[in-house]
């Protein structure tokens, strides 16, 4: 028993050291997004390459493999859902994947993506795809090499997808997304037309940035985001990152004449932040104290941003407060009119500003294109034209600049190939989780309308956050909701909500 515990403690020490190195990388990346001078990009790339190499070396060392094997042998017959068994299961998965990657490749990916990100920022600002294209060529070559190293017999895209959504496959995504590409465009068109007839618009007014920050922080705090263990900053592309226990950082992007993008962005990132703050601190640095998958993570942000944050109950409580914060800017805006405005379905170019009905079409587009890029069916040079053509097919709009087209997201610059599908899966998980919460929490809407978000937050903490990686995503949704993931709760939610808002039979 003593040897068993000693080996396990040594193994966790190694894993937590690697997590510390990863958290240093997160801090460097946060600084790169929020305040680093542009001329610091080259040096930052070398810093990130070093921390990536050191973390990789620690996790794939022979000592790590020997300790893992000894721990697995000693734990044979343990409850597979115990903390120890969960940690060993996930550490084995990471060890097997990472040890197949040469240190050179890990270091080069970190270096190349850090440089690519700096040039992507400038390319997006100027709409110059040619400035970013060489970086994307290099990143794709490295990601194809990474997929080949995994050698799992799966498609290269499926192999890369496992880093974000273990157990998911290219074939299943193709099936789900093909159906969405068929069913969503007519639904989008019908709801958009109803919104046009209703004339649902937020007023054009001055929304001072400091008041926007105050109002956003007020709402995030009401949700339960702990600002003594987190902070809010302004960036080009909003995100949430966790530096470590007690340090979860969220970001947004403000617009002076429209408070909605920044506000709903804050709700979105605070949803991510609640998940991170809800992970059990005693398990930090080990899988048992980490989020189960990116799609489950996205389910939390999309639930708070859309299902809760754009609901009648939420604004019954917050609209009077918004009028007080913004003084006359929302004068005369009644609740029904306001709800139709903030839930307005209108096809647009920018994914992060898309309404919740058309949003998944943006993900379908990115999935199709990045899969073609990985396969080699689409060249980087042809990417802008392919983007614009498919965007017109899915959303009926003509892209006029690369900044509102293929340069708008940071993911490809960051090497996150296979990340985008998790956003769509997250929408499906969110609706299914929320439907289960409504069944188990009588009077939930009434509580939200009174500004009491504790019951929902605590339910999510018990059911999702505190579980860490105890269950893989497909099993977690079964445990929490009693059913496998399916699109029915999502479409039921859309039908009920938009049917009531615009008097439609959906």
């Amino acid at each position: 028993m003593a040897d068993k515990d000693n080996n396990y403690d040594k193994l966790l020490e190694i894993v937590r050291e690697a997590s510390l190195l990863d958290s240093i990388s997160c801090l460097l990346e946060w600084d790169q997004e929020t305040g680093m001078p542009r001329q610091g990009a080259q040096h930052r790339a070398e810093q990130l390459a070093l921390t990536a190499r050191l973390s990789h070396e620690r996790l794939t060392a022979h000592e790590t493999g020997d300790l893992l094997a000894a721990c697995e042998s000693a734990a044979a017959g343990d409850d597979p859902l115990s903390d120890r068994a969960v940690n060993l299961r996930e550490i084995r998965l990471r060890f097997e994947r990472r040890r197949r990657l040469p240190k050179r490749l890990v270091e080069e990916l970190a270096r190349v993506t850090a440089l690519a990100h700096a040039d992507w920022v400038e390319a997006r600002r100027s709409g110059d795809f040619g400035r970013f294209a060489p970086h994307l060529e290099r990143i794709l070559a490295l990601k194809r090499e990474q997929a080949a190293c995994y050698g799992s017999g799966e498609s290269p895209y499926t192999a890369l997808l496992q880093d974000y959504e273990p157990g998911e496959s290219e074939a299943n995504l193709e099936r789900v997304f093909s159906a969405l590409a068929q069913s969503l465009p007519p639904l989008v068109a019908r709801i958009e037309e109803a919104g046009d007839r209703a004339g649902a618009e937020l007023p054009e007014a001055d929304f001072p940035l400091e008041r926007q920050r105050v109002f956003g922080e007020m709402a995030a705090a009401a949700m339960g985001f702990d600002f003594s263990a987190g902070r809010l900053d302004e960036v080009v592309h909003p995100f949430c990152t966790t530096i470590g226990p007690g340090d979860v950082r969220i970001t947004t992007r403000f617009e002076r004449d429209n408070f909605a993008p920044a506000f709903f962005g804050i709700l979105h990132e605070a949803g991510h932040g609640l998940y991170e703050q809800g992970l059990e601190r005693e398990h930090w640095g080990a899988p048992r104290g980490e989020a189960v998958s990116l799609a489950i993570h996205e389910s939390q942000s999309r639930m708070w941003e859309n299902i809760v944050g754009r609901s009648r109950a939420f604004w019954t409580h917050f609209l009077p407060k918004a009028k007080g914060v913004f003084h006359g800017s929302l004068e005369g805006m009644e609740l029904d009119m306001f709800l139709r405005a903030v839930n307005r379905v209108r096809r647009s170019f920018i994914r992060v500003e898309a309404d919740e009905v058309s949003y998944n079409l943006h993900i379908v587009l990115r999935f199709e294109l990045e899969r073609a890029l990985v396969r080699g069916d689409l060249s980087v040079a042809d990417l802008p034209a392919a983007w614009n053509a498919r965007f017109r097919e899915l959303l009926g709009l003509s892209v006029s600049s690369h900044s509102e087209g293929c340069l708008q997201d940071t993911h490809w610059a960051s090497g996150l190939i296979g990340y985008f599908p998790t956003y769509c899966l997250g929408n499906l998980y969110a609706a299914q989780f929320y439907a289960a919460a409504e069944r188990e929490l009588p009077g939930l809407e009434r509580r939200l309308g009174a500004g009491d978000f504790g019951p929902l937050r605590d339910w999510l903490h018990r059911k999702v956050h505190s579980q860490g990686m105890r269950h893989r995503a497909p099993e977690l949704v079964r445990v929490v909701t009693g059913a496998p993931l399916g699109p029915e709760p999502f479409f039921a939610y859309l039908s009920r909500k938009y049917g009531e808002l615009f008097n439609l039979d959906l």
Side-chain angles (χ1 to χ4, degrees):
M1 177 63 74
D3 286 343
K4 175 181 177 180
D5 290 340
N6 191 42
N7 286 335
Y8 182 66
D9 290 343
K10 287 180 179 178
L11 178 64
L12 286 189
E13 181 180 352
I14 291 171
V15 172
R16 285 177 171 139
E17 284 180 359
S19 294
L20 280 170
L21 288 164
D22 293 341
S23 75
I24 293 170
S25 296
C26 287
L27 181 58
L28 292 170
E29 289 166 350
W30 172 85
D31 176 72
Q32 183 176 11
E33 293 272 7
T34 58
M36 187 191 77
R38 287 197 300 274
Q39 292 187 28
Q42 182 65 55
H43 184 65
R44 182 56 44 87
E46 296 303 320
Q47 291 175 312
L48 289 168
L50 175 61
T51 54
R53 174 171 61 80
L54 293 174
S55 175
H56 179 76
E57 288 175 346
R58 202 72 183 102
L59 281 178
T60 59
H62 289 301
E63 178 190 8
T64 306
D66 292 342
L67 285 169
L68 179 57
C71 289
E72 289 171 329
S73 177
D78 284 1
D79 177 359
L81 296 181
S82 67
D83 294 343
R84 186 189 300 253
V86 169
N87 282 333
L88 294 178
R89 180 192 74 206
E90 296 302 323
I91 293 169
R92 169 58 70 185
L93 175 65
R94 295 175 194 183
F95 178 79
E96 292 299 327
R97 283 178 68 80
R98 292 204 186 192
R99 74 183 181 90
R100 292 181 170 90
L101 302 180
K103 287 185 290 185
R104 168 200 56 79
L105 176 59
V106 172
E107 195 169 3
E108 184 67 4
L109 269 169
R111 180 182 295 110
V112 166
T113 53
L115 292 173
H117 180 271
D119 265 2
W120 166 80
V121 171
E122 294 304 313
R124 183 182 185 274
R125 182 177 292 120
S126 63
D128 181 6
F129 181 74
R131 178 168 185 162
F132 175 61
H135 293 290
L136 184 55
E137 293 272 16
R138 180 60 178 151
I139 288 168
L140 285 167
L142 292 171
K143 298 303 285 189
R144 292 188 195 105
E145 182 182 353
Q146 180 181 349
C149 288
Y150 289 142
S152 59
E154 303 165 324
S155 73
Y157 191 82
T158 295
L160 296 174
L161 185 62
Q162 303 313 300
D163 284 336
Y164 315 109
E165 205 61 27
E168 192 53 82
S169 70
E170 177 184 353
N172 185 56
L173 291 177
E174 183 175 17
R175 177 186 62 82
V176 173
F177 290 177
S178 294
L180 290 174
Q182 292 295 316
S183 60
L184 279 176
L187 182 63
V188 169
R190 190 173 176 198
I191 299 174
E192 183 177 35
E193 181 183 1
D196 289 342
R197 289 198 306 268
E201 297 284 356
L202 287 174
E204 292 185 7
D206 181 33
F207 295 92
L209 303 191
E210 243 347 278
R211 293 183 188 173
Q212 289 192 48
R213 175 183 287 274
V214 167
F215 186 52
E217 289 182 345
M218 178 196 307
M223 288 163 50
F225 184 79
D226 183 357
F227 279 97
S228 71
R231 56 180 289 154
L232 172 67
D233 292 279
E234 185 176 0
V235 293
V236 173
H237 193 98
F239 65 96
C240 169
T241 192
T242 298
I243 309 304
D247 191 352
V248 177
R249 306 187 182 192
I250 61 175
T251 62
T252 195
R253 181 173 66 239
F254 294 103
E255 297 178 15
R256 181 95 189 187
D257 60 351
N258 187 356
F259 85 93
F263 180 75
F264 289 108
I266 290 171
L267 296 191
H268 181 97
E269 302 306 339
H272 283 304
L274 285 175
Y275 194 169
E276 291 296 312
Q277 291 182 342
L279 296 168
E280 296 185 342
R281 287 195 180 195
E282 62 266 31
H283 294 297
W284 184 86
R288 181 59 183 78
E290 297 175 6
V292 60
S293 80
L294 287 181
I296 298 298
H297 225 308
E298 191 65 13
S299 76
Q300 304 304 286
S301 59
R302 298 293 282 180
M303 184 187 300
W304 284 104
E305 175 193 0
N306 290 324
I307 300 179
V308 176
R310 298 180 194 268
S311 70
R312 177 174 295 274
F314 184 91
W315 287 106
T316 296
H317 176 72
F318 270 108
L319 183 56
K321 296 182 181 299
K323 290 181 176 181
V325 170
F326 296 121
H327 299 179
S329 298
L330 293 172
E331 188 68 31
M333 182 64 73
E334 299 302 324
L335 180 60
D336 286 344
M337 184 191 309
F338 183 85
L339 287 172
R340 286 192 290 269
V342 298
N343 286 288
R344 181 72 182 269
V345 172
R346 176 177 288 160
R347 290 165 292 174
S348 61
F349 298 103
I350 305 301
R351 175 186 63 85
V352 296
E353 297 173 5
D355 60 83
E356 60 183 325
V357 186
S358 65
Y359 181 91
N360 287 331
L361 293 174
H362 290 260
I363 304 306
V364 170
L365 170 75
R366 288 154 175 78
F367 164 70
E368 292 178 351
L369 293 179
E370 70 177 9
R371 182 179 61 160
L373 287 167
V374 169
R375 288 177 171 180
D377 297 338
L378 175 65
S379 71
V380 170
D382 292 335
L383 173 62
W387 177 293
N388 297 351
R390 187 58 172 147
F391 197 90
R392 191 177 302 112
E393 292 172 356
L394 288 171
L395 286 140
L397 301 175
S398 296
V399 178
S400 61
S401 76
H402 299 320
S403 296
E404 67 179 15
C406 61
L407 283 176
Q408 67 180 266
D409 294 300
T410 186
H411 299 63
W412 292 339
S414 301
L416 302 177
I417 309 296
Y419 192 118
F420 279 118
T422 66
Y423 290 131
C424 183
L425 295 173
N427 286 329
L428 303 184
Y429 279 121
Q432 194 155 330
F433 284 143
Y434 192 79
E438 284 187 304
R439 291 194 300 270
E440 296 183 22
L441 299 173
L444 176 59
E445 291 295 305
R446 176 179 52 78
R447 300 289 290 273
L448 296 178
D452 183 3
F453 302 98
L456 178 61
R457 181 186 64 247
D458 294 344
W459 186 89
L460 290 169
H461 175 74
R462 290 194 313 274
K463 299 285 188 173
V464 179
H465 307 165
S466 66
Q467 299 300 312
M469 299 192 78
R470 190 187 304 279
H471 304 285
R472 293 273 173 80
E475 181 59 23
L476 179 66
V477 75
R478 286 180 181 271
V479 170
V480 174
T481 73
L485 179 66
E488 295 83 6
F490 178 68
F491 281 104
Y493 156 69
L494 292 181
S495 296
R496 181 180 67 180
K497 176 176 180 176
Y498 287 93
E500 292 174 356
L501 278 173
F502 296 109
N503 195 28
L504 293 173
D505 182 7
L506 299 175

